[in-house]
Amino acid sequence: MSCGDFLELLAREASPVEFEGPLVQARADGAPPAVLAELEAAKLAALRVRMIMRRHARREAELAALFDTAGDLAGLRDLDAVLEAITRRARRLLSADIAYLTLNDDERGDTYMRVTDGSVSAAFRRLRLPMGTGLVGLVAQTAMPYNSAHYLGDGQFQHRGYIDDAVAEEGLVAILGVPMRLGSRVIGVLTAANRSERPFDQEEVALLGSLAAHAAIAIDNARLLDETRTALEELSAANEEVKARSAAVERAARAHDRMTAVVVRGGGVEDVGAVVTELLGGTLYVLDADGRRLATTGIDSGGLSDEELSGVSASAHSARAQGRTVRRGDLWIASVSTGDEMLGTLVLRTADEVDDADQRILERAALVTALLLLFQRSVTEAEGRVRGELLDDLLSGRRTGVEALTARARRVDVDLSAPHVVLCAKYESREHRQRAAFWASSFAAVEHGLAASRVEEVVLLLPGDRPGDAARRVAKELGGSPHTGTSS
């Protein structure tokens, strides 16, 4: 048996247990310990590659589903069709046994089933849950995601007999629910569930939250269009005003379609900003979570002053809490966020008045920007894991072939034959270390180096032979105290 057997197993997407076959055969053939050790190392490497391939395949499926959902919003105006598509994709994307969507009824004080996919119980499809009751009722009341690996036995939820009976009839065990929000108002809940005990991880919570945001937009679009039709039918005396409102709504819809098209064709935050400034004029600044400028579109008159940046930071949190655009002088500020995380801020500088419809365009641009930043983060994290594993292997001292390491480095555009410096920054705060690790991963990719997070420190391997200069440059960005060394 040879290491090539593992490549054949990878090529046909064999199960993990099949990777033991070459080792078992080699032992049966009486192979010497050195050969067995080589096969064991090859097996572990092949399993790591298999795991990375499956992770990438899953991420591609997630991104494809989000792109498909964005396309539906651009091309469909039928609310039921969009909600059914989102619910169906939520079930498929999370590999769930059932997915369902409820809408809140403010008059009755409950939330009721609107769309289900995979349900077999008529009683379950007719459920109405009072606010705060059951998992879905608690999500609808608190605007927070909840999940349970075994719902019927979970004491953190307020159980009702008729609800538990319907859940038992449906055979549900593990349940995840996320809120659908318009601004700060919860309009319903998107839920995925399994008929076996299988917990949901944080990536699945975030993914379902993104789909819930799309569902909320679809409902909001339908509401706006219904309001316009009603105004046209009932307020004939105010025909001109109705036409103006209709034009504003259609303008917002077209803007959203164009921004959705940016996502579909793989554009960036600069392209979204260009759509906004083309429609609203002025200058748009895209800032990250720390207030650093990511992109600028329009006529830049010198950027934002330190005083303006300080005010923007406070207004961004207010905009996020209200779920609406906040004005500060000639600046219009929208929060770029998803779930419980602040990703950045959109700041539009214009001397013109920005009416409600145009504010909605800015808010939708913020939502699309959040989606793009999440996509970018996913890609960066995937590449960062590959680079981090390579750096761990280089630093660990494990016996790994030089040719194999060199080939792996070449695939991520790193030349191990050139001189390099090693930088190490230690952090007591886990939050600071995580943010530093994310920056270091992006920085290392640009500099054709490597980065990894190890226990309480962030380690970088960068090309060059001047560790002091490299340390000062990195310390300025990370805000830490890197230790340096050289390597050839």
Side-chain angles (χ1 to χ4, degrees):
M1 305 298 289
S2 67
C3 296
D5 295 326
F6 294 112
L7 293 178
E8 294 180 5
L9 291 172
L10 285 171
R12 64 182 179 84
E13 299 181 352
S15 63
V17 70
E18 294 182 74
F19 285 77
E20 297 291 340
L23 270 172
V24 172
Q25 184 63 47
R27 291 191 186 99
D29 294 342
V35 173
L36 293 176
E38 181 182 356
L39 286 173
E40 177 68 24
K43 181 198 75 173
L44 294 176
L47 287 173
R48 284 199 300 271
V49 171
R50 180 183 182 275
M51 179 181 66
I52 293 172
M53 290 170 60
R54 292 178 66 85
R55 188 185 300 143
H56 286 180
R58 177 182 175 186
R59 180 63 63 188
E60 288 176 4
E62 292 174 355
L63 295 179
L66 289 174
F67 280 132
D68 288 344
T69 303
D72 283 344
L73 288 175
L76 294 178
R77 289 294 180 266
D78 182 80
L79 178 60
D80 289 336
V82 174
L83 296 185
E84 288 172 3
I86 289 175
T87 305
R88 184 167 57 252
R89 289 196 181 109
R91 179 188 176 194
R92 185 182 69 218
L93 201 55
L94 273 68
S95 299
D97 294 324
I98 178 176
Y100 47 97
L101 185 151
T102 70
L103 293 181
N104 291 2
D105 187 333
D106 294 333
E107 293 184 3
R108 295 183 57 167
D110 63 9
T111 187
Y112 63 93
M113 290 287 179
R114 173 63 189 274
V115 180
T116 64
D117 188 76
S119 174
V120 297
S121 167
F124 186 81
R125 291 194 296 270
R126 293 194 300 267
L127 268 182
R128 299 186 74 102
L129 297 90
M131 292 295 179
T133 301
L135 186 148
V136 171
L138 186 60
V139 174
Q141 182 183 64
T142 64
M144 297 290 293
Y146 280 91
N147 72 85
S148 175
H150 200 294
Y151 169 74
L152 290 177
D154 198 331
Q156 69 173 315
F157 303 107
Q158 181 181 346
H159 293 268
R160 290 273 185 96
Y162 75 94
I163 298 175
D164 285 0
D165 290 343
V167 171
E169 182 176 314
E170 190 65 62
L172 300 186
V173 178
I175 304 176
L176 164 64
V178 297
M180 298 188 303
R181 289 185 289 196
L182 284 178
S184 58
R185 184 169 66 92
V186 179
I187 63 171
V189 178
L190 182 61
T191 307
N194 289 304
R195 296 187 174 93
S196 60
E197 190 169 340
R198 193 210 79 178
F200 294 93
D201 58 34
Q202 288 302 312
E203 288 185 357
E204 291 173 316
V205 175
L207 182 60
L208 194 62
S210 296
L211 290 171
H214 281 299
I217 291 174
I219 293 170
D220 190 33
N221 281 343
R223 179 185 64 82
L224 290 172
L225 292 173
D226 285 343
E227 287 179 359
T228 302
R229 295 190 189 99
T230 301
L232 287 169
E233 293 171 359
E234 298 180 359
L235 303 177
S236 57
N239 186 48
E240 291 302 319
E241 181 181 348
V242 170
K243 286 182 178 180
R245 179 179 176 81
S246 178
V249 170
E250 287 300 324
R251 182 187 183 199
R254 286 195 301 271
H256 186 266
D257 290 349
R258 290 181 59 186
M259 287 184 281
T260 300
V262 167
V263 175
V264 172
R265 69 171 183 263
V269 294
E270 298 89 348
D271 300 304
V272 175
V275 173
V276 174
T277 52
E278 180 183 337
L279 293 172
L280 306 184
T283 300
L284 184 73
Y285 303 96
V286 184
L287 309 180
D288 67 10
D290 296 319
R292 293 177 296 206
R293 191 190 305 188
L294 295 176
T296 303
T297 57
I299 302 174
D300 186 6
S301 59
L304 299 169
S305 66
D306 291 341
E307 182 180 354
E308 287 176 324
L309 284 172
S310 177
V312 165
S313 177
S315 298
H317 288 87
S318 176
R320 182 187 179 196
Q322 298 177 35
R324 295 302 305 269
T325 300
V326 171
R327 182 177 187 178
R328 188 180 183 88
D330 64 346
L331 302 178
W332 299 82
I333 301 156
S335 170
V336 178
S337 58
T338 179
D340 298 326
E341 184 178 4
M342 186 82 164
L343 300 175
T345 311
L346 295 188
V347 183
L348 177 67
R349 186 194 295 279
T350 177
D352 299 330
E353 187 70 21
V354 180
D355 60 25
D356 288 344
D358 287 346
Q359 290 179 40
R360 189 65 58 88
I361 291 175
L362 188 61
E363 291 156 11
R364 288 178 178 174
L367 178 61
V368 174
T369 300
L371 185 60
L372 288 173
L373 292 177
L374 285 176
F375 289 168
Q376 180 182 352
R377 176 191 294 178
S378 298
V379 173
T380 302
E381 288 177 348
E383 183 177 347
R385 282 191 291 270
V386 173
R387 291 175 177 272
E389 290 170 0
L390 175 58
L391 182 54
D392 282 336
D393 286 345
L394 289 170
L395 297 177
S396 65
R398 289 192 291 268
R399 293 185 177 179
T400 305
V402 174
E403 292 184 0
L405 288 173
T406 302
R408 288 169 60 191
R410 192 181 301 115
R411 284 194 289 270
V412 290
D413 202 18
V414 174
D415 182 8
L416 293 182
S417 66
H420 285 74
V421 298
V422 177
L423 308 178
C424 176
K426 293 190 175 182
Y427 292 87
E428 296 181 0
S429 166
R430 179 182 178 185
E431 178 183 358
H432 289 168
R433 186 174 68 256
Q434 288 176 336
R435 293 175 67 181
F438 182 74
W439 177 89
S441 178
S442 300
F443 180 76
V446 173
E447 296 293 321
H448 305 291
L450 301 173
S453 178
R454 309 181 78 195
V455 191
E456 296 181 352
E457 60 191 18
V458 175
V459 181
L460 292 98
L461 178 72
L462 300 175
D465 55 6
R466 303 180 68 179
D469 292 345
R472 283 188 290 273
R473 181 182 178 191
V474 172
K476 181 178 179 181
E477 294 289 344
L478 292 181
S481 299
H483 301 279
T484 68
T486 61
S487 173
S488 59

